């Protein structure tokens, strides 16, 4: 999944790793305006033989193979599964009328930070997307699957599976990449 302008002319590194003329398994699909639009486009591009779908943020380059395998195992059992990390910070909720004021401290004992990959039986993910209101812009696919009543399991992951979205994230990722075995 790439931005439409990049899908029309894929970056050179993708051309180097895939030979489209010889039936590569890699397909480039233009993404949409929102995450759910991109996932729908990806689902529509899948061949009929695909039974399990993993959704993964390209902004998370450090996912470990064991986490991917665990997510796939659970999805093959008919459940949703997401990589996640238990919350270990103290969480504060801001007051609605005064966003710089603490309203309360939120208990963290049962809270997890959702990550990717997120895996689902294909039919479950398709049904979740078909039944979601068009204005429901879920921040992850697990939330959509939860809405249709399908269990979603947590797969313990590492904080190294970070999402790179800010300059600070990029600086940390560069450090991790240098230290990677």
């Amino acid at each position: 999944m790439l931005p439409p302008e990049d899908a029309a002319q894929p970056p050179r590194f993708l051309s180097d790793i895939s030979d489209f003329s010889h039936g590569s398994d890699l397909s480039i699909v233009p993404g949409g305006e929102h995450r759910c639009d991109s996932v729908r486009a990806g689902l529509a591009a899948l061949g009929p033989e695909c039974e399990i779908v993993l959704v993964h943020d390209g902004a998370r380059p450090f996912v470990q193979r064991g986490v991917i395998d665990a997510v796939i195992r659970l999805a093959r059992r008919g459940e949703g599964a997401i990589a996640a990390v238990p919350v270990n910070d103290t969480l504060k909720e801001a007051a609605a009328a005064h966003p710089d004021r603490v309203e309360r401290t939120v208990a963290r004992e049962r809270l997890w930070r959702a990550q990717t990959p997120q895996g689902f039986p294909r039919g479950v993910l398709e049904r979740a997307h078909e039944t979601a209101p068009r204005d429901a812009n879920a921040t992850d696919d697990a939330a959509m699957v939860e809405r249709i009543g399908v269990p979603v399991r947590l797969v313990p992951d590492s904080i190294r599976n970070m999402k790179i979205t800010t300059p600070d994230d990029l600086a940390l990722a560069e450090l991790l990449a240098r230290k990677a075995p």
Side-chain angles (χ1 to χ4, degrees):
M1 196 71 52
L2 291 173
E5 60 277 3
D6 290 337
Q9 292 195 336
R12 183 165 193 74
F13 74 90
L14 286 178
S15 300
D16 292 346
I17 64 169
S18 64
D19 184 355
F20 295 107
S21 63
H22 290 92
S24 170
D25 288 336
L26 178 64
S27 297
I28 295 178
V29 178
E33 184 178 349
H34 301 288
R35 178 191 181 94
C36 61
D37 299 325
S38 295
V39 173
R40 285 185 187 111
L43 285 168
L46 294 174
E49 70 283 355
C50 179
E51 297 176 4
I52 301 299
V53 176
L54 296 186
V55 178
H56 184 66
D57 296 323
R60 291 186 187 275
F62 299 114
V63 63
Q64 297 294 309
R65 175 72 187 239
V67 172
I68 296 169
D69 291 344
V71 168
I72 291 170
R73 267 194 306 280
L74 289 166
R76 283 189 175 142
R77 287 200 238 158
E79 299 178 280
I82 64 170
V85 177
V87 171
N88 61 6
D89 292 322
T90 298
L91 300 177
K92 303 291 185 181
E93 183 178 353
H98 302 282
D100 64 339
R101 193 176 297 162
V102 172
E103 183 167 305
R104 70 183 180 108
T105 300
V106 180
R108 66 181 179 208
E109 288 73 28
R110 295 176 25 225
L111 297 180
W112 291 67
R113 289 184 319 164
Q115 297 182 285
T116 62
Q118 299 188 355
F120 312 93
R122 179 183 184 168
V124 167
L125 188 56
E126 288 175 333
R127 187 164 38 105
H129 277 271
E130 288 165 4
T131 60
R134 290 317 248 175
D135 62 347
N137 203 5
T139 58
D140 77 348
D141 293 276
M144 298 172 81
V145 169
E146 292 163 33
R147 277 191 213 127
I148 64 169
V150 174
V152 176
R153 302 273 301 271
L154 298 165
V155 174
D157 198 1
S158 165
I159 61 170
R160 290 184 182 165
N161 186 13
M162 63 183 289
K163 189 172 183 180
I164 303 170
T165 55
T166 68
D168 285 343
D169 296 337
L170 183 57
L172 183 56
E174 288 172 341
L175 287 172
L176 284 172
R178 277 184 254 165
K179 300 284 185 191

